[in-house]
Amino acid sequence: MSAAQNQQAQERLGELLEQRAFDRFGEVWAEDVVDHDPAPGQAPGLAGIVDFWTEFTTAFPDLSLEPDPLVVADEYITAVFTIRGTHSGPFQGHEPTGRTFEVRGIQVSKFRDGKIAERWGATDEKGLAAQLGLDGDSAGA
């Protein structure tokens, strides 16, 4: 697939996230996708990706993800993004705090046949925990 087709798939992923159409993630994620940086307890493959996003948007139903730079290089796409939300549901064993967060992250995706076959990523988890008061230092603040 061409870099342009991979970019279209990446953009489609953003649309599916916005629509919360996790049942259609197979349109842009390979069934056997390898997540090199899974969330704690995340199952392998597409099922793990779907479960992660289902749980994350349950915890943060107003979640928004705003891409910044998008770097396309053949079969790799690197996306830098800002993610925001309000903690309105259970999250990693923590009851909702009602607090909002805004953090930055990055994801590198390797495409195969127009779908994400591998992903690497990092989000400012410490910043997210601090903003929600889950880091122990700011609890009750």
Side-chain angles (χ1 to χ4, degrees):
M1 301 302 260
S2 73
Q5 290 168 314
N6 292 338
Q7 184 172 348
Q8 288 174 341
Q10 180 74 35
E11 291 168 357
R12 181 76 182 128
L13 171 59
E15 294 168 7
L16 294 174
L17 280 169
E18 189 173 306
Q19 297 166 3
R20 308 298 195 249
F22 308 124
D23 60 326
R24 296 178 50 205
F25 266 19
E27 295 175 18
V28 295
W29 294 91
E31 187 70 34
D32 61 348
V33 60
V34 175
D35 189 342
H36 295 281
D37 299 301
Q42 180 179 317
L46 176 60
I49 300 288
V50 169
D51 287 348
F52 168 80
W53 281 104
T54 300
E55 291 174 22
F56 203 65
T57 55
T58 298
F60 306 98
D62 64 344
L63 185 84
S64 68
L65 196 142
E66 178 184 323
D68 282 330
L70 192 66
V71 179
V72 181
D74 297 322
E75 74 227 18
Y76 290 93
I77 293 182
T78 301
V80 177
F81 55 86
T82 301
I83 190 166
R84 300 173 181 86
T86 306
H87 188 198
S88 303
F91 176 63
Q92 296 181 347
H94 299 280
E95 289 303 311
T97 62
R99 294 183 179 192
T100 61
F101 76 92
E102 178 178 314
V103 295
R104 306 261 300 147
I106 187 168
Q107 176 170 296
V108 177
S109 302
K110 181 178 182 181
F111 285 77
R112 179 184 71 228
D113 300 325
K115 294 184 178 184
I116 300 170
E118 294 184 65
R119 80 160 288 280
W120 298 261
T123 302
D124 181 6
E125 294 175 21
K126 184 173 173 123
L128 186 148
Q131 290 174 51
L132 298 180
L134 305 178
D135 64 354
D137 295 332
S138 57

